[in-house]
Amino acid sequence: MSFFNLPFTKLQKETEVAILSVLRACYLTKNVQDTLVNQDTLIKKDKSPVTVADLSAQSLISLHLLSHFPQDPIIGEEDTSELRVNDGLREKVVKLVSEGFEREEGWGKDKTFTEDEVLKAIDAGSAEGGNKGRFWTIVIDGTSGFIRHQQYAVCLALIVDGQVEMGVIGCPNLGPEPAKIGEEIIPNGKGVLMVAVRGEGSYSRPLTSPTYTKLSLPPTPPASNPLTFLESVESGHSAHSIQARIGELLEVKRPSLRMDSQAKYACLGRGEGGVYLRIPTKYAGGKEYAEKIWDHASGSLLIHESGGICTDMHGQPLNFGVGRTLKNNEGIVAAGKEIHGKAVEAVKKAVEEVGVKKD
């Protein structure tokens, strides 16, 4: 199957552009990861890290989108506030964006971008979203994993009237074989790319080969691959203690598969683990936090089109039409169709035990 002969009848141009954009951003970020030094990383005002790879990849993807769909708004995680006051980092980002572009019809072979073009492309990601019209959302997800030279993901989704219609997830360090318990956060492959279109299924391919394989998430984990959880690496991202109790209620016998980014959705979509949990840290004494739409848009559609269910922790559908966050939702539970309801019930019981009520 060639690159431009995708197994979809809807949104063909959008899907082709999205796949090409994510592939190029995967190669850019992987090249940066292989040579990453401390000077290539910034700490933002919210104390989260951002690297030249995050900024360059967001700019590169935005430039592709704007060249094909100039009227479409974009929501991206990053902006240029720190970059504009750091000359050395800014020069690196501009250079990486130009190097990351390869020939495409309508653009010159040796196309380069000015500093202004690169910065404007990053800041193009400032749209507010909403439940009317279409917009794109971009994230280079899992910066902490990227810095540790472990798992991260490049994700791009198209949202129309508040509903995710198409999503692409590129995982440069994920292998085609199932992740191993205890080794899951270590790069274990040359990369995979997954794509889903609403109503038309989900597919996986190696980064290096346009051979697409249809994905199917079992309703419940088979006896040969017993249930385990897919979780964030850091306890600051999800309440590990509550999730451990949920595991007891579901009689989970194996340790969790912990990795950064939407690579967790990618693994679940192809049948690994069984349940992806993200319970807010406020249930373990942490702070309030509203999930960002870019962290779940592509992954939630991938699970849906693979045959699973992705909701918030209360079993409610994720609402991508209320702005840049999932402020109408709380937590994430994604699983096969038969196990999902049991997982939501276990979440409810575990939360009731600690005495924290839904707002």
Side-chain angles (χ1 to χ4, degrees):
M1 185 180 296
S2 69
F3 174 78
F4 291 110
N5 187 25
L6 296 171
F8 305 111
T9 61
K10 299 192 307 182
L11 300 171
Q12 288 192 349
K13 180 180 179 182
E14 287 86 348
T15 305
E16 290 169 359
V17 170
I19 290 174
L20 184 58
S21 299
V22 170
L23 284 173
R24 288 175 176 166
C26 282
Y27 292 127
L28 183 157
T29 54
K30 182 59 179 170
N31 287 336
V32 172
Q33 189 183 46
D34 289 342
T35 58
L36 187 69
V37 295
N38 290 338
Q39 291 82 356
D40 293 333
T41 303
L42 289 171
I43 302 299
K44 296 186 287 189
K45 292 179 180 179
D46 65 0
K47 306 302 182 183
S48 63
V50 61
T51 71
V52 291
D54 298 283
L55 296 159
S56 302
Q58 180 167 314
S59 181
L60 182 65
I61 293 173
S62 293
L63 286 163
H64 280 291
L65 293 178
L66 292 169
S67 71
H68 289 282
F69 310 106
Q71 302 306 314
D72 287 355
I74 299 171
I75 291 180
E77 180 177 22
E78 310 302 343
D79 61 44
T80 62
S81 54
E82 289 88 0
L83 201 57
R84 291 181 184 275
V85 296
N86 189 316
D87 294 344
L89 216 61
R90 189 169 64 250
E91 290 174 5
K92 283 188 177 181
V93 168
V94 173
K95 184 173 184 288
L96 283 167
V97 172
S98 292
E99 290 176 347
F101 177 75
E102 297 173 2
R103 186 171 184 175
E104 182 179 359
E105 185 178 354
W107 288 28
K109 182 176 181 180
D110 298 319
K111 175 68 178 179
T112 58
F113 299 98
T114 67
E115 179 180 291
D116 187 56
E117 288 174 321
V118 169
L119 297 180
K120 283 183 176 179
I122 296 172
D123 284 335
S126 61
E128 290 300 321
N131 61 5
K132 299 295 182 184
R134 55 184 255 164
F135 61 89
W136 299 82
T137 182
I138 304 168
V139 66
I140 291 72
D141 193 14
T143 302
S144 295
F146 179 86
I147 293 171
R148 293 194 304 268
H149 291 260
Q150 296 169 350
Q151 296 295 346
Y152 72 100
V154 178
C155 306
L156 177 60
L158 175 65
I159 299 175
V160 182
D161 295 336
Q163 180 169 265
V164 185
E165 293 292 334
M166 185 269 294
V168 179
I169 301 175
C171 303
N173 287 333
L174 199 61
E177 300 301 321
K180 296 179 181 179
I181 297 289
E183 300 178 6
E184 69 285 335
I185 61 173
I186 302 170
N188 63 347
K190 295 183 179 180
V192 298
L193 181 141
M194 297 185 179
V195 56
V197 174
R198 183 167 295 279
E200 300 205 339
S202 60
Y203 292 79
S204 175
R205 55 159 282 183
L207 285 186
T208 55
S209 172
T211 302
Y212 292 85
T213 302
K214 188 171 177 59
L215 295 173
S216 179
L217 172 57
T220 191
S224 60
N225 185 24
L227 177 66
T228 191
F229 289 155
L230 289 147
E231 300 178 323
S232 299
V233 172
E234 300 177 30
S235 59
H237 292 169
S238 58
H240 285 174
S241 59
I242 299 295
Q243 291 171 187
R245 175 55 181 151
I246 297 166
E248 292 176 356
L249 294 169
L250 290 174
E251 299 183 346
V252 174
K253 305 297 183 184
R254 298 196 298 169
S256 296
L257 283 163
R258 289 182 175 169
M259 65 185 76
D260 296 279
S261 83
Q262 290 183 63
K264 293 185 288 293
Y265 280 119
C267 287
L268 179 61
R270 65 188 188 184
E272 295 168 33
V275 178
Y276 167 33
L277 285 179
R278 192 171 170 97
I279 306 304
T281 56
K282 77 171 191 178
Y283 292 101
K287 297 180 179 179
E288 293 278 354
Y289 176 77
E291 297 286 348
K292 307 301 191 294
I293 64 171
W294 50 76
D295 286 332
H296 302 285
S298 297
S300 64
L301 181 63
L302 181 78
I303 298 308
H304 180 272
E305 291 301 317
S306 298
I309 300 174
C310 183
T311 68
D312 71 7
M313 60 184 278
H314 307 290
Q316 298 301 309
L318 301 182
N319 188 343
F320 291 92
V322 290
R324 293 171 65 91
T325 70
L326 294 171
K327 61 184 178 182
N328 287 3
N329 297 109
E330 189 176 40
I332 303 290
V333 178
K337 287 185 176 180
E338 290 183 12
I339 198 69
H340 182 270
K342 297 176 183 178
V344 170
E345 286 302 311
V347 169
K348 180 180 178 181
K349 184 172 182 178
V351 168
E352 287 175 348
E353 288 177 356
V354 299
V356 181
K357 304 299 183 182
K358 179 183 177 183
D359 294 333

